[in-house]
Amino acid sequence: MSVTVLNGPNLNLLGTRRPEVYGHTTLADVADRCREHAGRLGLELVFRQSNHEGRLIDWIHETGAAVQRGESIGAVYNPGAHTHYAYAIRDAIEAVQLPVIETHISNVHAREEFRHHSVVSPVAAGVVVGFGVLGYTLAITGLYELTRAQ
Ligand code: DQA
């Protein structure tokens, strides 16, 4: 059984991009922490990042199919700025009924107004916001527990 962690645009820059907001941890470090955490839960980790909406949509479809086959529990997803406007991402999650925990490193509600709205939240099973990169492992635990409860 696997869990997928998806990352949208600019998250490849984690560690150097606005460290006062996103911290100093790199995305490679986040992947390591997630792999270790998933392992403790008996899950394999699929970890991905892209700056391209279409590629992310393909991965959403792929993960949805894996969930249908009983091979994945779903995805932890930090959609980056796509969160705030990308209707095709929202529609993809809904279309394949992908269990998603929307995750943001920063507290988007304490930041600029355009970050307060998410087009993804209505199709997410849960949302984790403002815990820094710890949010990724919290979200994996949340998705795992939700899946077990069903
Ligand atoms: C983010 C918040 C978004 O508003 C922003 O565009 C990002 C990162 C976060 O993790 O806090 O790229 O999703």
Side-chain angles (χ1 to χ4, degrees), residues 40-107:
R40 281 198 289 267
L41 299 173
L43 298 168
E44 271 174 45
L45 181 76
V46 178
F47 194 92
R48 290 179 160 156
Q49 188 277 332
S50 179
N51 296 322
H52 304 279
E53 187 173 341
R55 179 162 294 177
L56 286 151
I57 289 170
D58 289 343
W59 288 335
I60 291 166
H61 294 174
E62 217 174 76
T63 312
V67 172
Q68 291 306 317
R69 292 194 302 270
E71 294 168 10
S72 168
I73 65 167
V76 166
Y77 188 9
N78 184 348
H82 282 156
T83 307
H84 314 300
Y85 68 90
Y87 296 114
I89 296 276
R90 180 221 183 273
D91 279 356
I93 294 167
E94 186 180 50
V96 300
Q97 293 286 291
L98 178 65
V100 162
I101 308 295
E102 177 186 340
T103 302
H104 300 286
I105 297 163
S106 64
N107 179 359

Side-chain angles (χ1 to χ4, degrees), residues 86-139:
Y87 296 114
I89 296 276
R90 180 221 183 273
D91 279 356
I93 294 167
E94 186 180 50
V96 300
Q97 293 286 291
L98 178 65
V100 162
I101 308 295
E102 177 186 340
T103 302
H104 300 286
I105 297 163
S106 64
N107 179 359
V108 283
H109 300 290
R111 300 181 62 198
E112 302 94 321
E113 185 105 30
F114 77 90
R115 298 187 204 275
H116 299 182
H117 182 66
S118 168
V119 301
V120 174
S121 294
V123 294
V127 181
V128 174
V129 160
F131 285 90
V133 294
L134 174 66
Y136 285 87
T137 48
L138 292 175

